[in-house]
Amino acid sequence: MGGINARECGLNINNCHNSGNITHIGTHRSNFYIAGISGLNAPSIVGSTNSGDITICGTAEDPLILDNQCIITGISGTVSGVLKNCSNSGDITVDYINQTSDNNTNVFGIVTTASCSTEKIYNCDNSGNISIAETGAITKAGGNVYVGGCLGSVSSQLVEGCDNTGNITLGSKSPLRATYI
């Protein structure tokens, strides 16, 4: 699910802007990709912004159940080309999640994964606040929970001029194994 593009369609995304809020409350049992611009695998994203808030949660009685990978980002789940001049100012809130597998939960302001073919990531910033399990619990079987202001797993040849000014709040019920800023 994405504010502009849900999943890779082979198109470059240029000068696109999302201001609509994205909310998912309930149960989901598959790969879970949600982003302000492109949910998964955009070839290149240039000059695009997200100002819409992203809220992903269940309830104490009915947690959001994930049995596979979970990616939640302000701009894109993954990118394989150029990522430049993009910004996220939307807040991201994740709560009451039950990760039932050994896969990871990834929450980042800009992008979770940039592949080795990604040429450059530059002039991207996140000012949105990220809150993980502030009021509820994230339980998991064996996967990791990764949280960061801008970038996650990046094997790009160049990262330049990226900035995070958003607050990251990790509740006492967040079983984090690694945090990237």
Side-chain angles (χ1 to χ4, degrees):
M1 179 185 319
I4 301 297
N5 177 41
R7 189 174 172 112
E8 186 259 322
C9 58
L11 300 174
N12 294 322
I13 298 173
N14 296 316
N15 299 313
C16 292
H17 310 284
N18 176 56
S19 59
N21 295 333
I22 298 172
T23 302
H24 180 85
I25 299 173
T27 301
H28 184 82
R29 294 186 175 270
S30 185
N31 289 333
F32 196 73
Y33 306 101
I34 294 182
I37 299 296
S38 179
L40 180 63
N41 199 23
S44 292
I45 303 176
V46 177
S48 297
T49 62
N50 175 59
S51 60
D53 293 340
I54 300 172
T55 303
I56 310 300
C57 64
T59 64
E61 298 79 27
D62 187 20
L64 177 61
I65 298 172
L66 301 169
D67 63 6
N68 229 322
Q69 184 167 347
C70 175
I71 293 177
I72 304 163
T73 66
I75 298 296
S76 182
T78 60
V79 67
S80 57
V82 173
L83 179 63
K84 83 174 185 180
N85 299 331
C86 293
S87 66
N88 174 59
S89 60
D91 292 341
I92 300 173
T93 303
V94 179
D95 206 355
Y96 287 112
I97 286 183
N98 185 357
Q99 181 96 25
T100 61
S101 71
D102 289 340
N103 290 298
N104 297 326
T105 298
N106 304 278
V107 184
F108 292 93
I110 300 296
V111 66
T112 297
T113 304
S115 68
C116 59
S117 62
T118 302
E119 298 168 22
K120 295 180 181 179
I121 299 174
Y122 56 99
N123 298 333
C124 293
D125 64 274
N126 175 60
S127 60
N129 298 316
I130 299 173
S131 175
I132 308 296
E134 187 59 28
T135 59
I138 294 180
T139 59
K140 60 186 183 49
N144 296 314
V145 178
Y146 298 104
V147 179
C150 284
L151 311 172
S153 174
V154 176
S155 54
S156 174
Q157 297 178 19
L158 175 65
V159 176
E160 181 179 294
C162 295
D163 187 31
N164 176 59
T165 57
N167 296 318
I168 298 175
T169 303
L170 307 173
S172 61
K173 298 178 182 182
S174 298
L176 293 180
R177 293 198 180 171
T179 302
Y180 300 116
I181 304 295

